[in-house]
Amino acid sequence: MDLAADLREELARITDLHVLDDELLGAEASHDLDRLQVLMDVSATDTSGYQAADWLREHRQIDVGMSDHRRILATLSFADGKDTTDRLVEALWSWRGAAESFDRPPPIRLPAPEDIELETVMLPRDAFFAPVQQVPADRAQGRIAAEQITPYPPGIPAVVPGERLTDTVIAYLRSGLAAGMNVPDPADPSLATFRVVAQ
């Protein structure tokens, strides 16, 4: 716990890197924090968490636990000591310098939570095993999904078989993918097309 506290303090010195802490409490029903999970917001650097994670992996051989359009997460364990936290701090200082030359990340069309709640119009099993077709993204709106699509993070399906696709969800998934979001499960990993129930 002392190591994690020291790490948070050192990371907070990095320009425009915001180490999230108590401001997370009470939001979205959160009660307490796992202090070994060090969540950092990089958005003030005009870069994305995806870019930061990619840079850390490529240039410092450090994998963060998770990244999204604005955050990265470092996870400490019993295997960590001052040597590994110092390595992370040094890597993040180097990333911060390199970030000045990064291209601005593509924007993600992040909808309100209620705007990505899709209508279920067919049982998931029936949609999954129905005759299907791949349709271009610009013609998928209104069609019944025949596949699951799960952006990570958060690792919660945005689309489940049997749900009616909307332009809002399609735009969210495609813009997120373009920005670096991991979407491991669609039939077309490029999301240029969507698998839908054949008409």
Side-chain angles (χ1 to χ4, degrees):
M1 296 300 287
D2 290 341
L3 185 68
D6 291 345
L7 175 62
R8 288 169 178 277
E9 195 173 298
E10 288 189 54
L11 292 174
R13 295 189 183 108
I14 299 174
T15 309
D16 296 324
L17 181 73
H18 181 58
V19 180
L20 297 165
D21 204 79
D22 288 344
E23 66 269 29
L24 299 171
L25 294 177
E28 303 284 328
S30 60
H31 171 70
D32 206 350
L33 294 178
D34 177 351
R35 299 291 169 176
L36 301 183
Q37 304 281 331
V38 182
L39 185 62
M40 296 160 272
D41 188 327
V42 304
S43 60
T45 67
D46 289 329
T47 64
S48 72
Y50 301 125
Q51 289 173 306
D54 289 346
W55 190 92
L56 289 168
R57 182 179 303 113
E58 181 179 348
H59 297 279
R60 292 296 185 271
Q61 293 72 54
I62 291 176
D63 276 316
V64 292
M66 187 173 63
S67 61
D68 69 10
H69 65 290
R70 61 181 300 153
R71 292 167 290 260
I72 58 173
L73 176 72
T75 302
L76 298 179
S77 76
F78 65 88
D80 286 295
K82 188 81 166 77
D83 58 331
T84 59
T85 58
D86 284 351
R87 183 169 170 241
L88 177 63
V89 170
E90 185 278 326
L92 283 165
W93 273 110
S94 296
W95 156 79
R96 184 61 189 98
E100 296 296 330
S101 63
F102 291 3
D103 291 336
R104 295 265 335 223
I108 295 181
R109 292 174 59 181
L110 273 175
E114 60 271 14
D115 292 336
I116 58 173
E117 291 181 24
L118 299 179
E119 175 190 12
T120 300
V121 293
M122 192 173 186
L123 289 174
R125 183 184 189 284
D126 293 344
F128 186 83
F129 289 110
V132 300
Q133 61 187 141
Q134 291 291 131
V135 298
D138 62 357
R139 295 206 319 258
Q141 189 268 337
R143 300 293 299 272
I144 300 170
E147 65 182 338
Q148 180 169 297
I149 304 177
T150 310
Y152 182 83
I156 299 168
V159 176
V160 172
E163 293 181 331
R164 190 177 306 282
L165 294 167
T166 64
D167 281 337
T168 301
V169 167
I170 293 167
Y172 159 62
L173 291 168
R174 296 190 77 217
S175 65
L177 183 67
M181 183 168 69
N182 182 23
V183 186
D185 49 3
D188 177 1
S190 74
L191 292 179
T193 63
F194 284 74
R195 178 170 288 182
V196 298
V197 174
Q199 290 182 331

